[in-house]
């Protein structure tokens, strides 16, 4: 499916990743025909799709070519491509229990081995040294996705003095365009970076995260047992709140609306948690229990069972 998706993306996107003109619903018959040709060229045994606009032609082409389809849905509310694909599929896998797709199997979110194999405790000292953090202080990780998040940046930096007063150090990924985010030097480290290339080290360095609740972030945090205060993106169909709810309801994290996030909330809610080792340990244990670290193997086994059927 990776080779197929790569070929479809090249044929249907302009430079920069935007859809080319004419690749809307009116060109679906052509997309399906071209995809059938690609499937034949690749001698595909199965098509595994993860949704998105390139997936639907692949699902339809596979069905017409007699090739079994496996659908994986990462969000609690599936998109159009996967709703259609699930009706054609030999197997359907989902990240979140209760995702409304017929016949779905809960496998979790497939993740990189660097994450699923992460031993946070064993790597903590190395990770904190890597980021210039103290070895023994409670540590808050702040990140808002690859581009950062203004509300998280504002709240975290606004709480810097109170966090430092409590002895809490911070690793803060502000986003590469948010150059205005800076914190004055102080005795307790507050490290600001544009982007975290080594999320495994960031997770190992932290005791708690303050972050958005995209599907991958929630899955990675729970897989490594790192509790988080989730701040769902306040736009869309509410999927980020739904992503976080299973972990929060399992006792592995906190949930705060974007509009409610503030320096005062961090001071009143996160500082007491970060300075309570027993509470952090409890949150971590529940976060790990909500995770599915072997989701990649589960999905692989499901796919192989379809091929062998």
């Amino acid at each position: 499916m990776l080779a197929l998706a790569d070929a479809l993306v090249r044929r249907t996107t302009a430079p920069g990743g935007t859809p080319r003109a004419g690749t809307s619903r009116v060109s679906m018959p052509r997309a399906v025909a071209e995809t059938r040709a690609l499937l034949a060229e690749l001698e595909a045994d199965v098509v595994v799709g993860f949704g998105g606009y390139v997936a639907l032609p692949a699902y339809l082409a596979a069905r017409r070519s007699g090739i079994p389809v496996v659908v994986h849905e990462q969000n609690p509310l599936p998109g159009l491509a996967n709703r259609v694909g699930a009706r054609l599929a030999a197997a359907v896998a989902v990240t979140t229990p209760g995702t409304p797709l017929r016949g779905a199997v809960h496998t979790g979110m497939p993740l990189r081995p660097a994450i699923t194999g992460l031993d946070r405790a064993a790597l903590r000292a190395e990770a904190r040294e890597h980021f210039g953090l103290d070895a023994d202080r409670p540590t808050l990780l702040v990140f808002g996705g690859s581009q950062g998040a203004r509300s998280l940046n504002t709240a975290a930096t606004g709480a810097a003095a109170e966090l430092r007063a409590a002895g809490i150090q911070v690793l803060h990924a502000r986003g590469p365009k948010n150059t205005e985010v800076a914190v004055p030097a102080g005795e307790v480290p507050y490290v600001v970076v544009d982007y975290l290339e080594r999320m495994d080290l960031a997770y190992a360095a932290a005791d708690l995260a303050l972050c958005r609740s995209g599907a991958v972030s929630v899955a990675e945090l729970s897989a490594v047992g790192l509790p988080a205060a989730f701040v769902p993106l306040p736009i869309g169909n509410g999927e980020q709140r739904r992503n976080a709810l299973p972990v929060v309801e399992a006792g592995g994290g906190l949930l705060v609306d974007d509009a409610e996030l503030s320096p005062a909330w961090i001071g009143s809610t996160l500082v007491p948690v970060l300075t309570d080792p027993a509470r952090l340990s409890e949150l971590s244990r529940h976060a790990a229990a909500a995770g599915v670290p072997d989701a990649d193997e589960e999905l692989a086994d499901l796919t192989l069972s379809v091929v062998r059927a």
Side-chain angles (χ1 to χ4, degrees):
M1 180 62 183
L2 290 177
L4 177 60
D6 183 61
L8 284 170
V9 167
R10 289 198 305 271
R11 294 187 184 198
T12 59
T13 57
T18 57
R20 292 187 187 277
T23 57
S24 62
R25 286 179 294 178
V26 297
S27 63
M28 183 62 71
R30 186 181 70 185
V32 171
E34 292 186 359
T35 305
R36 290 190 69 184
L38 282 170
L39 290 171
E41 179 183 333
L42 294 168
E43 299 181 347
D45 296 306
V46 62
V47 168
V48 183
F50 297 86
Y53 76 94
V54 299
L56 187 54
Y59 296 152
L60 296 173
R63 177 61 176 262
R64 294 181 185 181
S65 300
I67 298 170
V69 170
V70 176
V71 168
H72 183 278
E73 175 56 55
Q74 69 172 3
N75 295 309
L77 292 180
L80 174 62
N82 276 355
R83 293 202 305 272
V84 174
R87 294 177 176 274
L88 311 176
V92 178
V94 296
T95 294
T96 306
T99 300
L101 289 176
R102 185 173 54 191
V105 176
H106 176 225
T107 61
M109 171 76 76
L111 300 171
R112 296 172 291 142
I115 298 300
T116 58
L118 178 64
D119 185 333
R120 288 175 52 230
L123 201 59
R124 178 167 295 142
E126 176 188 338
R128 291 185 174 179
E129 181 180 4
H130 175 83
F131 291 112
L133 298 166
D134 289 346
D136 298 319
R137 293 186 185 275
T139 305
L140 175 66
L141 168 64
V142 181
F143 66 100
S146 61
Q147 299 303 312
R150 184 179 298 275
S151 59
L152 272 68
N153 289 343
T154 300
T157 55
E162 190 165 357
L163 289 164
R164 279 177 164 159
I168 298 165
Q169 63 188 351
V170 180
L171 173 59
H172 184 156
R174 66 186 179 184
K177 296 181 180 179
N178 301 316
T179 55
E180 77 284 358
V181 176
V183 176
E187 181 180 347
V188 178
Y190 192 118
V191 177
V192 178
V193 298
D194 287 344
Y195 182 74
L196 291 164
E197 294 185 3
R198 290 291 305 274
M199 285 304 299
D200 57 333
L201 291 181
Y203 292 154
D207 295 299
L208 183 76
L210 175 67
C211 59
R212 293 296 191 202
S213 49
V216 174
S217 292
V218 173
E220 288 189 345
L221 288 163
S222 56
V224 304
L226 178 61
F230 294 111
V231 189
L233 193 68
I235 59 175
N237 61 4
E239 66 184 26
Q240 286 210 355
R241 171 176 286 275
R242 292 182 175 90
N243 290 338
L245 277 176
V247 178
V248 173
E249 291 172 349
L254 308 171
L255 190 65
V256 58
D257 289 339
D258 190 82
E260 300 299 320
L261 178 66
S262 67
W265 185 88
I266 291 175
S268 65
T269 304
L270 295 192
V271 167
V273 173
L274 280 158
T275 53
D276 184 345
R279 176 72 170 132
L280 283 173
S281 178
E282 178 186 28
L283 283 166
S284 180
R285 185 172 66 255
H286 289 308
V292 187
D294 60 348
D296 55 342
E297 296 178 6
E298 292 284 339
L299 182 59
D301 288 344
L302 184 65
T303 302
L304 288 174
S305 72
V306 166
V307 174
R308 292 167 180 159

